[in-house]
Amino acid sequence: MRDFLHQCLYGKIAKVKIFQGGSNRVDHRNINRRTFLKLSTAIAATTALPFVPGCTPARQEADRTVDVAIIGAGLAGLTAARQLVAQGIESVLVIEAQDYVGGRLRDVQVNDTTIIEAGGQFIGPPQTRILELAAELGVETYRIFEEGDAVYHLDGDTTRFPPYDFAVFGEYDRIRLMLDGMAQTVPLGAPWNAPDAEMLDNMSFGDFLDANLSDPIARDLFDIISFSILNAFPPDLSLLYVLFFIHSCVDINTLVATEGGAQDSRFLGGAQLVPIRMAAELGEERVLLQSPVRSIHHDDTSIQIVSDRAVVDAQYAIVAMMPSIIRNITFEPSLPDQRQGLIENWPISGDFKVNVVYETPFWREQGFSGFIGQSDRVAASFGYDNSPPDADVGIFVTWPNIGADPSLADPDNRREAVLNSIAAYFGDQALDPIDYLEHDWTDNEWIPACVSPVGEGLLTQYGPALLQPVGRIHWAGTETSPIWNGYMEGAVRSGDRVAEEVAALILANR
Ligand SMILES: Cc1cc2nc3c(=O)[nH]c(=O)nc-3n(C[C@H](O)[C@H](O)[C@H](O)COP(=O)(O)OP(=O)(O)OC[C@H]3O[C@@H](n4cnc5c(N)ncnc54)[C@H](O)[C@@H]3O)c2cc1C
């Protein structure tokens, strides 16, 4: 068990484990790593080909048979597995492509006592399911630091303002209230059924702002909010999607706020602790790492999942990942047109996250909270004090906007621009960090996206397929959640929902 926990956390495997025969028995064999990688690559090369009718290999003899196979060991997949087991459906297997659990939750050790999160990190009081789950798993939370002034930086001038006093942002509040009101008309379970859905979906958020807002400062703030939350600027986002997203997360204030909002708190020990503890609870026999699923064969009676390290027969499959990544899996027979269209057209958007580590959170001594509310320095146009609760070190977190300045694509330029920006806000001490940790999610083959900047037309054309099971294949992942869509909360809720769906089908036939 200790090896397994170590593997979940650090993503290293000491031994390759393969499943044998039709039983649930795990056989540990030492396979030469080079042979294993050659085999995996060969399988990947054949099965990653686009589906051509008649060319997909027929079903094979399975290594293992389970009631439910879950693809993806992110929060959604692990929650689904945990809920199924809790309902007495103990024969489940979570199959994960990567060598760690948590997916978009990934912690990085800064020193002996401090971690930072390369992926998801913030949680807040309205996100009740993730908080409840964390409490059950013994993962504690703490409030982020926010005493002191926030910063607004434009044309070289730094202005201090009390956190979330948006009075300085001109027309911002008028448009915020207008958007909040419109968002309430979008049904959470089916945004494509909103009144005027087609019209709203064929208009970009940028078109809406252009038509309703002339104040450049307020517009700039909406651009930054849009980039910080959806990793895209208003012209690239469907207005219907933005309204759905706002409604899904209560309202704009809740989305952007620290205290009481989405950035209220963090997990002590890191957000990845939640999936790690779920995997530990499920046990080694129910989680198979480093085994990308390449194809899913399905018919009226059963499912077969072909992954690099096991062929698994199951009664039901749950695919728990971002829709765009599902395009790496070949389905036999192929998926209905609307579902296929959803997968092919769902956006992929990478993300850079930078944590700069200092001896101390020196900005606090100058009365700054560390929160950058808005800045025209695109290397760090917003950011937070991300220090641990004991402030053992000072950490500032930010997200460079490479789209707005292509020179930031160069790592040296990026680092220099990030440090210069922090120095512009808090002084030259910012130029001497003790560590600079950056995570490039575009590098990750299995998670090349953090959020879903859904563009015009997608929701009304393909949205209804998001939740619709295809025979025995069911869908989960934060992108399927009507509540806190895109967040950890949405992932957990989608795991709850899909487990209930599949458990009802299995229990009805027992
Ligand atoms: C940089 C960043 C910052 C974020 N900040 C926050 C935040 O502050 N607060 C918040 O609530 N949320 C945040 N999020 C979002 C949050 O992390 C996600 O909503 C949540 O973790 C999604 O969980 P999931 O299970 O739906 O998907 P994922 O975590 O993406 O899990 C899907 C899993 O499927 C696996 N997989 C993919 N393809 C295959 C295959 N073919 N075979 C087998 N396995 C496969 C992947 O490796 C992955 O482990 C952030 C995300 C990122 C990346």
Side-chain angles (χ1 to χ4, degrees), residues 217-248:
I217 293 189
R219 173 60 195 257
D220 200 43
L221 182 57
F222 277 111
D223 283 356
I224 288 179
I225 290 176
S226 171
F227 169 67
S228 66
I229 294 176
L230 286 165
N231 202 24
F233 285 106
D236 300 322
L237 296 164
S238 143
L239 179 58
L240 179 66
Y241 178 70
V242 170
L243 295 175
F244 157 69
F245 191 85
I246 293 168
H247 190 189
S248 156

PDB file of all heavy atoms in Angstrom, residues 217-248:
ATOM      1  N   ILE A 217     -11.763  51.244 -19.060  1.00  0.00           N
ATOM      2  CA  ILE A 217     -11.242  50.636 -17.822  1.00  0.00           C
ATOM      3  C   ILE A 217     -12.107  49.441 -17.426  1.00  0.00           C
ATOM      4  O   ILE A 217     -11.611  48.360 -17.087  1.00  0.00           O
ATOM      5  CB  ILE A 217     -11.175  51.679 -16.689  1.00  0.00           C
ATOM      6  CG1 ILE A 217     -10.121  52.714 -17.072  1.00  0.00           C
ATOM      7  CG2 ILE A 217     -10.849  51.026 -15.355  1.00  0.00           C
ATOM      8  CD1 ILE A 217      -9.771  53.691 -16.013  1.00  0.00           C
ATOM      9  N   ALA A 218     -13.425  49.614 -17.518  1.00  0.00           N
ATOM     10  CA  ALA A 218     -14.333  48.509 -17.187  1.00  0.00           C
ATOM     11  C   ALA A 218     -14.147  47.377 -18.198  1.00  0.00           C
ATOM     12  O   ALA A 218     -14.135  46.191 -17.837  1.00  0.00           O
ATOM     13  CB  ALA A 218     -15.769  48.999 -17.181  1.00  0.00           C
ATOM     14  N   ARG A 219     -13.959  47.734 -19.467  1.00  0.00           N
ATOM     15  CA  ARG A 219     -13.787  46.711 -20.497  1.00  0.00           C
ATOM     16  C   ARG A 219     -12.512  45.904 -20.227  1.00  0.00           C
ATOM     17  O   ARG A 219     -12.479  44.681 -20.327  1.00  0.00           O
ATOM     18  CB  ARG A 219     -13.732  47.380 -21.881  1.00  0.00           C
ATOM     19  CG  ARG A 219     -13.380  46.426 -23.025  1.00  0.00           C
ATOM     20  CD  ARG A 219     -14.419  45.293 -23.113  1.00  0.00           C
ATOM     21  NE  ARG A 219     -13.954  44.196 -23.940  1.00  0.00           N
ATOM     22  CZ  ARG A 219     -14.356  43.975 -25.189  1.00  0.00           C
ATOM     23  NH1 ARG A 219     -15.235  44.766 -25.752  1.00  0.00           N
ATOM     24  NH2 ARG A 219     -13.894  42.956 -25.855  1.00  0.00           N
ATOM     25  N   ASP A 220     -11.465  46.637 -19.845  1.00  0.00           N
ATOM     26  CA  ASP A 220     -10.201  45.978 -19.545  1.00  0.00           C
ATOM     27  C   ASP A 220     -10.367  44.992 -18.379  1.00  0.00           C
ATOM     28  O   ASP A 220      -9.810  43.893 -18.384  1.00  0.00           O
ATOM     29  CB  ASP A 220      -9.178  47.064 -19.178  1.00  0.00           C
ATOM     30  CG  ASP A 220      -7.764  46.551 -19.332  1.00  0.00           C
ATOM     31  OD1 ASP A 220      -7.520  45.875 -20.342  1.00  0.00           O
ATOM     32  OD2 ASP A 220      -6.939  46.815 -18.445  1.00  0.00           O
ATOM     33  N   LEU A 221     -11.190  45.387 -17.386  1.00  0.00           N
ATOM     34  CA  LEU A 221     -11.405  44.491 -16.249  1.00  0.00           C
ATOM     35  C   LEU A 221     -12.157  43.228 -16.692  1.00  0.00           C
ATOM     36  O   LEU A 221     -11.810  42.114 -16.283  1.00  0.00           O
ATOM     37  CB  LEU A 221     -12.165  45.213 -15.132  1.00  0.00           C
ATOM     38  CG  LEU A 221     -12.403  44.372 -13.871  1.00  0.00           C
ATOM     39  CD1 LEU A 221     -11.091  43.849 -13.280  1.00  0.00           C
ATOM     40  CD2 LEU A 221     -13.144  45.170 -12.815  1.00  0.00           C
ATOM     41  N   PHE A 222     -13.157  43.385 -17.565  1.00  0.00           N
ATOM     42  CA  PHE A 222     -13.858  42.192 -18.062  1.00  0.00           C
ATOM     43  C   PHE A 222     -12.900  41.295 -18.854  1.00  0.00           C
ATOM     44  O   PHE A 222     -12.996  40.073 -18.791  1.00  0.00           O
ATOM     45  CB  PHE A 222     -15.085  42.574 -18.899  1.00  0.00           C
ATOM     46  CG  PHE A 222     -16.295  42.855 -18.058  1.00  0.00           C
ATOM     47  CD1 PHE A 222     -16.808  44.136 -17.949  1.00  0.00           C
ATOM     48  CD2 PHE A 222     -16.905  41.830 -17.340  1.00  0.00           C
ATOM     49  CE1 PHE A 222     -17.906  44.391 -17.142  1.00  0.00           C
ATOM     50  CE2 PHE A 222     -18.007  42.071 -16.535  1.00  0.00           C
ATOM     51  CZ  PHE A 222     -18.509  43.358 -16.433  1.00  0.00           C
ATOM     52  N   ASP A 223     -11.980  41.929 -19.595  1.00  0.00           N
ATOM     53  CA  ASP A 223     -10.997  41.118 -20.341  1.00  0.00           C
ATOM     54  C   ASP A 223     -10.166  40.278 -19.368  1.00  0.00           C
ATOM     55  O   ASP A 223      -9.923  39.095 -19.589  1.00  0.00           O
ATOM     56  CB  ASP A 223     -10.046  42.016 -21.149  1.00  0.00           C
ATOM     57  CG  ASP A 223     -10.701  42.551 -22.414  1.00  0.00           C
ATOM     58  OD1 ASP A 223     -11.856  42.161 -22.688  1.00  0.00           O
ATOM     59  OD2 ASP A 223     -10.067  43.357 -23.110  1.00  0.00           O
ATOM     60  N   ILE A 224      -9.740  40.913 -18.274  1.00  0.00           N
ATOM     61  CA  ILE A 224      -8.879  40.190 -17.320  1.00  0.00           C
ATOM     62  C   ILE A 224      -9.671  39.107 -16.588  1.00  0.00           C
ATOM     63  O   ILE A 224      -9.193  37.982 -16.408  1.00  0.00           O
ATOM     64  CB  ILE A 224      -8.212  41.175 -16.336  1.00  0.00           C
ATOM     65  CG1 ILE A 224      -7.150  41.957 -17.118  1.00  0.00           C
ATOM     66  CG2 ILE A 224      -7.587  40.452 -15.157  1.00  0.00           C
ATOM     67  CD1 ILE A 224      -6.409  42.971 -16.323  1.00  0.00           C
ATOM     68  N   ILE A 225     -10.896  39.406 -16.208  1.00  0.00           N
ATOM     69  CA  ILE A 225     -11.724  38.395 -15.538  1.00  0.00           C
ATOM     70  C   ILE A 225     -11.933  37.214 -16.478  1.00  0.00           C
ATOM     71  O   ILE A 225     -11.810  36.041 -16.092  1.00  0.00           O
ATOM     72  CB  ILE A 225     -13.080  39.002 -15.101  1.00  0.00           C
ATOM     73  CG1 ILE A 225     -12.856  39.982 -13.947  1.00  0.00           C
ATOM     74  CG2 ILE A 225     -14.061  37.910 -14.683  1.00  0.00           C
ATOM     75  CD1 ILE A 225     -14.103  40.724 -13.496  1.00  0.00           C
ATOM     76  N   SER A 226     -12.198  37.541 -17.733  1.00  0.00           N
ATOM     77  CA  SER A 226     -12.445  36.500 -18.726  1.00  0.00           C
ATOM     78  C   SER A 226     -11.197  35.630 -18.910  1.00  0.00           C
ATOM     79  O   SER A 226     -11.265  34.395 -18.905  1.00  0.00           O
ATOM     80  CB  SER A 226     -12.832  37.219 -20.022  1.00  0.00           C
ATOM     81  OG  SER A 226     -12.903  36.363 -21.083  1.00  0.00           O
ATOM     82  N   PHE A 227     -10.034  36.268 -19.015  1.00  0.00           N
ATOM     83  CA  PHE A 227      -8.790  35.502 -19.167  1.00  0.00           C
ATOM     84  C   PHE A 227      -8.487  34.707 -17.899  1.00  0.00           C
ATOM     85  O   PHE A 227      -8.114  33.527 -17.968  1.00  0.00           O
ATOM     86  CB  PHE A 227      -7.627  36.453 -19.493  1.00  0.00           C
ATOM     87  CG  PHE A 227      -6.284  35.789 -19.403  1.00  0.00           C
ATOM     88  CD1 PHE A 227      -5.938  34.794 -20.309  1.00  0.00           C
ATOM     89  CD2 PHE A 227      -5.377  36.119 -18.404  1.00  0.00           C
ATOM     90  CE1 PHE A 227      -4.702  34.142 -20.226  1.00  0.00           C
ATOM     91  CE2 PHE A 227      -4.149  35.481 -18.316  1.00  0.00           C
ATOM     92  CZ  PHE A 227      -3.819  34.498 -19.223  1.00  0.00           C
ATOM     93  N   SER A 228      -8.709  35.325 -16.730  1.00  0.00           N
ATOM     94  CA  SER A 228      -8.314  34.644 -15.495  1.00  0.00           C
ATOM     95  C   SER A 228      -9.221  33.447 -15.204  1.00  0.00           C
ATOM     96  O   SER A 228      -8.771  32.449 -14.662  1.00  0.00           O
ATOM     97  CB  SER A 228      -8.318  35.612 -14.307  1.00  0.00           C
ATOM     98  OG  SER A 228      -9.629  36.046 -14.051  1.00  0.00           O
ATOM     99  N   ILE A 229     -10.474  33.525 -15.595  1.00  0.00           N
ATOM    100  CA  ILE A 229     -11.391  32.439 -15.248  1.00  0.00           C
ATOM    101  C   ILE A 229     -11.547  31.439 -16.384  1.00  0.00           C
ATOM    102  O   ILE A 229     -11.599  30.233 -16.155  1.00  0.00           O
ATOM    103  CB  ILE A 229     -12.756  33.020 -14.823  1.00  0.00           C
ATOM    104  CG1 ILE A 229     -12.575  33.800 -13.516  1.00  0.00           C
ATOM    105  CG2 ILE A 229     -13.791  31.918 -14.636  1.00  0.00           C
ATOM    106  CD1 ILE A 229     -13.801  34.506 -13.040  1.00  0.00           C
ATOM    107  N   LEU A 230     -11.590  31.932 -17.633  1.00  0.00           N
ATOM    108  CA  LEU A 230     -11.868  31.014 -18.749  1.00  0.00           C
ATOM    109  C   LEU A 230     -10.709  30.899 -19.727  1.00  0.00           C
ATOM    110  O   LEU A 230     -10.819  30.241 -20.770  1.00  0.00           O
ATOM    111  CB  LEU A 230     -13.139  31.458 -19.479  1.00  0.00           C
ATOM    112  CG  LEU A 230     -14.412  31.158 -18.691  1.00  0.00           C
ATOM    113  CD1 LEU A 230     -15.597  31.927 -19.247  1.00  0.00           C
ATOM    114  CD2 LEU A 230     -14.706  29.662 -18.685  1.00  0.00           C
ATOM    115  N   ASN A 231      -9.583  31.531 -19.398  1.00  0.00           N
ATOM    116  CA  ASN A 231      -8.377  31.425 -20.215  1.00  0.00           C
ATOM    117  C   ASN A 231      -8.634  31.840 -21.664  1.00  0.00           C
ATOM    118  O   ASN A 231      -8.057  31.263 -22.593  1.00  0.00           O
ATOM    119  CB  ASN A 231      -7.838  29.984 -20.160  1.00  0.00           C
ATOM    120  CG  ASN A 231      -6.365  29.930 -20.511  1.00  0.00           C
ATOM    121  OD1 ASN A 231      -5.668  30.933 -20.363  1.00  0.00           O
ATOM    122  ND2 ASN A 231      -5.890  28.801 -20.991  1.00  0.00           N
ATOM    123  N   ALA A 232      -9.543  32.784 -21.853  1.00  0.00           N
ATOM    124  CA  ALA A 232      -9.815  33.277 -23.207  1.00  0.00           C
ATOM    125  C   ALA A 232     -10.391  34.684 -23.087  1.00  0.00           C
ATOM    126  O   ALA A 232     -10.956  35.044 -22.045  1.00  0.00           O
ATOM    127  CB  ALA A 232     -10.831  32.383 -23.908  1.00  0.00           C
ATOM    128  N   PHE A 233     -10.252  35.465 -24.167  1.00  0.00           N
ATOM    129  CA  PHE A 233     -10.790  36.824 -24.151  1.00  0.00           C
ATOM    130  C   PHE A 233     -12.220  36.834 -24.697  1.00  0.00           C
ATOM    131  O   PHE A 233     -12.629  35.909 -25.416  1.00  0.00           O
ATOM    132  CB  PHE A 233      -9.854  37.761 -24.914  1.00  0.00           C
ATOM    133  CG  PHE A 233      -8.626  38.052 -24.107  1.00  0.00           C
ATOM    134  CD1 PHE A 233      -7.407  37.471 -24.430  1.00  0.00           C
ATOM    135  CD2 PHE A 233      -8.705  38.861 -22.987  1.00  0.00           C
ATOM    136  CE1 PHE A 233      -6.287  37.706 -23.656  1.00  0.00           C
ATOM    137  CE2 PHE A 233      -7.590  39.100 -22.204  1.00  0.00           C
ATOM    138  CZ  PHE A 233      -6.380  38.519 -22.539  1.00  0.00           C
ATOM    139  N   PRO A 234     -13.007  37.876 -24.350  1.00  0.00           N
ATOM    140  CA  PRO A 234     -14.429  37.889 -24.696  1.00  0.00           C
ATOM    141  C   PRO A 234     -14.761  37.563 -26.157  1.00  0.00           C
ATOM    142  O   PRO A 234     -15.729  36.843 -26.396  1.00  0.00           O
ATOM    143  CB  PRO A 234     -14.879  39.295 -24.282  1.00  0.00           C
ATOM    144  CG  PRO A 234     -13.997  39.601 -23.103  1.00  0.00           C
ATOM    145  CD  PRO A 234     -12.652  39.029 -23.469  1.00  0.00           C
ATOM    146  N   PRO A 235     -13.992  38.019 -27.170  1.00  0.00           N
ATOM    147  CA  PRO A 235     -14.399  37.694 -28.544  1.00  0.00           C
ATOM    148  C   PRO A 235     -14.381  36.194 -28.836  1.00  0.00           C
ATOM    149  O   PRO A 235     -15.019  35.740 -29.789  1.00  0.00           O
ATOM    150  CB  PRO A 235     -13.348  38.418 -29.410  1.00  0.00           C
ATOM    151  CG  PRO A 235     -12.803  39.491 -28.541  1.00  0.00           C
ATOM    152  CD  PRO A 235     -12.849  38.953 -27.141  1.00  0.00           C
ATOM    153  N   ASP A 236     -13.653  35.422 -28.043  1.00  0.00           N
ATOM    154  CA  ASP A 236     -13.557  33.983 -28.306  1.00  0.00           C
ATOM    155  C   ASP A 236     -14.566  33.152 -27.522  1.00  0.00           C
ATOM    156  O   ASP A 236     -14.519  31.918 -27.553  1.00  0.00           O
ATOM    157  CB  ASP A 236     -12.139  33.488 -27.979  1.00  0.00           C
ATOM    158  CG  ASP A 236     -11.116  34.194 -28.827  1.00  0.00           C
ATOM    159  OD1 ASP A 236     -11.422  34.435 -30.011  1.00  0.00           O
ATOM    160  OD2 ASP A 236     -10.033  34.539 -28.312  1.00  0.00           O
ATOM    161  N   LEU A 237     -15.459  33.800 -26.790  1.00  0.00           N
ATOM    162  CA  LEU A 237     -16.395  33.057 -25.943  1.00  0.00           C
ATOM    163  C   LEU A 237     -17.833  33.286 -26.380  1.00  0.00           C
ATOM    164  O   LEU A 237     -18.225  34.417 -26.688  1.00  0.00           O
ATOM    165  CB  LEU A 237     -16.255  33.523 -24.487  1.00  0.00           C
ATOM    166  CG  LEU A 237     -14.907  33.239 -23.838  1.00  0.00           C
ATOM    167  CD1 LEU A 237     -14.748  34.085 -22.573  1.00  0.00           C
ATOM    168  CD2 LEU A 237     -14.788  31.758 -23.498  1.00  0.00           C
ATOM    169  N   SER A 238     -18.624  32.215 -26.382  1.00  0.00           N
ATOM    170  CA  SER A 238     -20.054  32.350 -26.672  1.00  0.00           C
ATOM    171  C   SER A 238     -20.716  33.073 -25.498  1.00  0.00           C
ATOM    172  O   SER A 238     -20.451  32.750 -24.331  1.00  0.00           O
ATOM    173  CB  SER A 238     -20.642  30.944 -26.837  1.00  0.00           C
ATOM    174  OG  SER A 238     -21.941  30.871 -26.309  1.00  0.00           O
ATOM    175  N   LEU A 239     -21.611  34.035 -25.817  1.00  0.00           N
ATOM    176  CA  LEU A 239     -22.316  34.742 -24.739  1.00  0.00           C
ATOM    177  C   LEU A 239     -23.180  33.760 -23.950  1.00  0.00           C
ATOM    178  O   LEU A 239     -23.242  33.822 -22.722  1.00  0.00           O
ATOM    179  CB  LEU A 239     -23.170  35.881 -25.327  1.00  0.00           C
ATOM    180  CG  LEU A 239     -23.972  36.687 -24.308  1.00  0.00           C
ATOM    181  CD1 LEU A 239     -23.075  37.330 -23.247  1.00  0.00           C
ATOM    182  CD2 LEU A 239     -24.800  37.765 -25.003  1.00  0.00           C
ATOM    183  N   LEU A 240     -23.821  32.816 -24.650  1.00  0.00           N
ATOM    184  CA  LEU A 240     -24.663  31.837 -23.949  1.00  0.00           C
ATOM    185  C   LEU A 240     -23.809  31.041 -22.950  1.00  0.00           C
ATOM    186  O   LEU A 240     -24.208  30.816 -21.807  1.00  0.00           O
ATOM    187  CB  LEU A 240     -25.323  30.875 -24.951  1.00  0.00           C
ATOM    188  CG  LEU A 240     -26.204  29.791 -24.323  1.00  0.00           C
ATOM    189  CD1 LEU A 240     -27.433  30.391 -23.652  1.00  0.00           C
ATOM    190  CD2 LEU A 240     -26.637  28.747 -25.357  1.00  0.00           C
ATOM    191  N   TYR A 241     -22.621  30.623 -23.385  1.00  0.00           N
ATOM    192  CA  TYR A 241     -21.756  29.851 -22.491  1.00  0.00           C
ATOM    193  C   TYR A 241     -21.352  30.694 -21.274  1.00  0.00           C
ATOM    194  O   TYR A 241     -21.382  30.199 -20.138  1.00  0.00           O
ATOM    195  CB  TYR A 241     -20.506  29.356 -23.239  1.00  0.00           C
ATOM    196  CG  TYR A 241     -19.583  28.597 -22.330  1.00  0.00           C
ATOM    197  CD1 TYR A 241     -19.942  27.339 -21.859  1.00  0.00           C
ATOM    198  CD2 TYR A 241     -18.387  29.159 -21.895  1.00  0.00           C
ATOM    199  CE1 TYR A 241     -19.118  26.646 -20.987  1.00  0.00           C
ATOM    200  CE2 TYR A 241     -17.559  28.467 -21.026  1.00  0.00           C
ATOM    201  CZ  TYR A 241     -17.927  27.213 -20.575  1.00  0.00           C
ATOM    202  OH  TYR A 241     -17.111  26.541 -19.710  1.00  0.00           O
ATOM    203  N   VAL A 242     -20.988  31.960 -21.499  1.00  0.00           N
ATOM    204  CA  VAL A 242     -20.571  32.820 -20.377  1.00  0.00           C
ATOM    205  C   VAL A 242     -21.730  32.981 -19.389  1.00  0.00           C
ATOM    206  O   VAL A 242     -21.541  32.892 -18.169  1.00  0.00           O
ATOM    207  CB  VAL A 242     -20.067  34.186 -20.903  1.00  0.00           C
ATOM    208  CG1 VAL A 242     -19.872  35.180 -19.765  1.00  0.00           C
ATOM    209  CG2 VAL A 242     -18.759  34.006 -21.672  1.00  0.00           C
ATOM    210  N   LEU A 243     -22.940  33.165 -19.904  1.00  0.00           N
ATOM    211  CA  LEU A 243     -24.100  33.330 -19.011  1.00  0.00           C
ATOM    212  C   LEU A 243     -24.368  32.043 -18.226  1.00  0.00           C
ATOM    213  O   LEU A 243     -24.637  32.067 -17.022  1.00  0.00           O
ATOM    214  CB  LEU A 243     -25.342  33.729 -19.825  1.00  0.00           C
ATOM    215  CG  LEU A 243     -25.266  35.101 -20.509  1.00  0.00           C
ATOM    216  CD1 LEU A 243     -26.492  35.328 -21.388  1.00  0.00           C
ATOM    217  CD2 LEU A 243     -25.133  36.238 -19.487  1.00  0.00           C
ATOM    218  N   PHE A 244     -24.269  30.907 -18.923  1.00  0.00           N
ATOM    219  CA  PHE A 244     -24.442  29.620 -18.232  1.00  0.00           C
ATOM    220  C   PHE A 244     -23.385  29.487 -17.131  1.00  0.00           C
ATOM    221  O   PHE A 244     -23.681  29.107 -15.991  1.00  0.00           O
ATOM    222  CB  PHE A 244     -24.314  28.459 -19.235  1.00  0.00           C
ATOM    223  CG  PHE A 244     -23.931  27.151 -18.586  1.00  0.00           C
ATOM    224  CD1 PHE A 244     -24.828  26.487 -17.765  1.00  0.00           C
ATOM    225  CD2 PHE A 244     -22.663  26.613 -18.768  1.00  0.00           C
ATOM    226  CE1 PHE A 244     -24.466  25.295 -17.139  1.00  0.00           C
ATOM    227  CE2 PHE A 244     -22.301  25.432 -18.148  1.00  0.00           C
ATOM    228  CZ  PHE A 244     -23.201  24.769 -17.324  1.00  0.00           C
ATOM    229  N   PHE A 245     -22.143  29.804 -17.468  1.00  0.00           N
ATOM    230  CA  PHE A 245     -21.031  29.657 -16.534  1.00  0.00           C
ATOM    231  C   PHE A 245     -21.261  30.537 -15.293  1.00  0.00           C
ATOM    232  O   PHE A 245     -21.081  30.086 -14.147  1.00  0.00           O
ATOM    233  CB  PHE A 245     -19.730  30.036 -17.247  1.00  0.00           C
ATOM    234  CG  PHE A 245     -18.502  29.674 -16.491  1.00  0.00           C
ATOM    235  CD1 PHE A 245     -17.964  28.411 -16.587  1.00  0.00           C
ATOM    236  CD2 PHE A 245     -17.877  30.599 -15.665  1.00  0.00           C
ATOM    237  CE1 PHE A 245     -16.820  28.063 -15.868  1.00  0.00           C
ATOM    238  CE2 PHE A 245     -16.746  30.257 -14.937  1.00  0.00           C
ATOM    239  CZ  PHE A 245     -16.223  28.996 -15.052  1.00  0.00           C
ATOM    240  N   ILE A 246     -21.703  31.773 -15.520  1.00  0.00           N
ATOM    241  CA  ILE A 246     -21.959  32.684 -14.390  1.00  0.00           C
ATOM    242  C   ILE A 246     -23.053  32.094 -13.493  1.00  0.00           C
ATOM    243  O   ILE A 246     -22.907  32.021 -12.267  1.00  0.00           O
ATOM    244  CB  ILE A 246     -22.380  34.085 -14.904  1.00  0.00           C
ATOM    245  CG1 ILE A 246     -21.219  34.771 -15.628  1.00  0.00           C
ATOM    246  CG2 ILE A 246     -22.872  34.961 -13.741  1.00  0.00           C
ATOM    247  CD1 ILE A 246     -21.624  36.028 -16.403  1.00  0.00           C
ATOM    248  N   HIS A 247     -24.146  31.647 -14.111  1.00  0.00           N
ATOM    249  CA  HIS A 247     -25.262  31.089 -13.328  1.00  0.00           C
ATOM    250  C   HIS A 247     -24.811  29.841 -12.572  1.00  0.00           C
ATOM    251  O   HIS A 247     -25.135  29.635 -11.402  1.00  0.00           O
ATOM    252  CB  HIS A 247     -26.429  30.760 -14.274  1.00  0.00           C
ATOM    253  CG  HIS A 247     -27.698  30.419 -13.557  1.00  0.00           C
ATOM    254  ND1 HIS A 247     -28.801  29.922 -14.196  1.00  0.00           N
ATOM    255  CD2 HIS A 247     -28.047  30.487 -12.238  1.00  0.00           C
ATOM    256  CE1 HIS A 247     -29.770  29.706 -13.324  1.00  0.00           C
ATOM    257  NE2 HIS A 247     -29.338  30.032 -12.121  1.00  0.00           N
ATOM    258  N   SER A 248     -24.012  29.021 -13.263  1.00  0.00           N
ATOM    259  CA  SER A 248     -23.517  27.783 -12.663  1.00  0.00           C
ATOM    260  C   SER A 248     -22.696  28.068 -11.391  1.00  0.00           C
ATOM    261  O   SER A 248     -22.663  27.269 -10.465  1.00  0.00           O
ATOM    262  CB  SER A 248     -22.682  27.060 -13.732  1.00  0.00           C
ATOM    263  OG  SER A 248     -21.748  26.208 -13.178  1.00  0.00           O
TER     264      SER A 248
END
